[in-house]
Amino acid sequence: DGGITQSPKYLFRKEGQNVTLSCEQNLNHDAMYWYRQDPGQGLRLIYYSQIVNDFQKGDIAEGYSVSREKKESFPLTVTSAQKNPTAFYLCASSIDAHKGEQFFGPGTRLTVL
Amino acid sequence: AQSVTQLDSQVPVFEEAPVELRCNYSSSVSVYLFWYVQYPNQGLQLLLKYLSGSTLVKGINGFEAEFNKSQTSFHLRKPSVHISDTAEYFCAVSNTGNQFYFGTGTSLTVIP
């Protein structure tokens, strides 16, 4: 089955540690996205990538980093510089970045202890 | 940049009653419009989309939406809701740029 997978489903980290969230898609989509979701704030774009080896900052990129070495994979690293990292993180992909719907993964809930 | 406004943060409705969830967006030359549904602790699932053509769009689970260009609206409707429709609903807009713009969501609660 084609789709987007995110792992792990739940993640706990100690303050001051970096952590990497995985996102993989087998839809052959060029564009991939990372969103952060907080209660009452909807989805906020962290980073997006239109093609392999290229990515752009979204609205709230500070404290996060990404890479896009393969078309299928777009991992997100939450660094210790992110002041309030506890949130629900959603990865998405689309055929291209200019139109068409985005397909979402199941999400990763990150809790900083 | 686009902006998307979902006018109601919470909508309670009795089972089998009709419902309308409102969405307005800032004006643009051409836009693509979407409604997504999110169940607790899950990702977003596409309900329906408007890319072009007929302004009345039908989606999954009996939902439909109407694109109104003059009012820059894309309201979601269902004539008779079920308990299983209880979820968070997001309106989204994209244009010829690179990004999607999401509303802040409407929490629909269906009351038995």
Side-chain angles (χ1 to χ4, degrees):
Chain A
D1 289 337
I4 301 176
T5 58
Q6 291 184 244
S7 61
K9 179 71 172 174
Y10 298 95
L11 188 57
F12 298 88
R13 93 160 205 214
K14 292 182 179 179
E15 219 172 309
Q17 290 181 337
N18 292 355
V19 62
T20 297
L21 282 60
S22 168
C23 177
E24 304 278 332
Q25 55 99 357
N26 61 2
L27 300 168
N28 200 32
H29 286 173
D30 285 322
M32 297 186 74
Y33 311 80
W34 274 106
Y35 293 92
R36 170 181 172 137
Q37 187 176 23
D38 296 283
Q41 296 194 47
L43 278 69
R44 292 184 290 168
L45 183 65
I46 305 172
Y47 269 97
Y48 67 100
S49 168
Q50 298 182 61
I51 198 167
V52 174
N53 292 322
D54 182 62
F55 48 83
Q56 286 80 41
K57 293 181 178 180
D59 300 320
I60 56 164
E62 185 175 350
Y64 300 97
S65 65
V66 293
S67 63
R68 187 86 185 276
E69 298 176 1
K70 298 187 298 181
K71 189 175 186 177
E72 306 79 28
S73 179
F74 191 42
L76 173 75
T77 296
V78 184
T79 75
S80 56
Q82 169 50 236
K83 298 304 179 188
N84 185 22
T86 295
F88 191 51
Y89 290 88
L90 287 162
C91 179
S93 71
S94 63
I95 292 176
D96 66 51
H98 300 287
K99 66 176 183 181
E101 68 264 35
Q102 295 186 359
F103 294 80
F104 283 82
T108 292
R109 186 166 296 281
L110 173 64
T111 303
V112 175
L113 304 172
Chain B
Q2 280 281 355
S3 67
V4 181
T5 302
Q6 292 184 242
L7 297 164
D8 306 299
S9 60
Q10 294 184 334
V11 174
V13 62
F14 285 105
E15 195 175 12
E16 298 184 5
V19 70
E20 179 179 81
L21 306 183
R22 296 180 291 170
C23 174
N24 288 88
Y25 60 94
S26 56
S27 179
S28 179
V29 175
S30 63
V31 294
Y32 308 112
L33 298 157
F34 308 84
W35 274 99
Y36 286 86
V37 61
Q38 184 183 34
Y39 300 101
N41 291 312
Q42 295 185 26
L44 276 66
Q45 178 185 1
L46 182 70
L47 273 178
L48 48 79
K49 61 185 176 184
Y50 172 80
L51 301 180
S52 65
S54 172
T55 57
L56 183 63
V57 179
K58 294 191 183 297
I60 63 171
N61 301 341
F63 284 93
E64 63 179 33
E66 185 154 19
F67 169 54
N68 188 319
K69 188 174 182 179
S70 63
Q71 297 187 8
T72 60
S73 68
F74 191 55
H75 300 334
L76 181 71
R77 292 189 282 262
K78 186 170 182 177
S80 175
V81 295
H82 303 290
I83 296 291
S84 59
D85 293 323
T86 294
E88 190 87 12
Y89 292 81
F90 291 94
C91 180
V93 175
S94 73
N95 52 24
T96 51
N98 299 342
Q99 295 187 30
F100 263 52
Y101 300 89
F102 285 88
T104 52
T106 296
S107 178
L108 174 65
T109 300
V110 179
I111 304 164

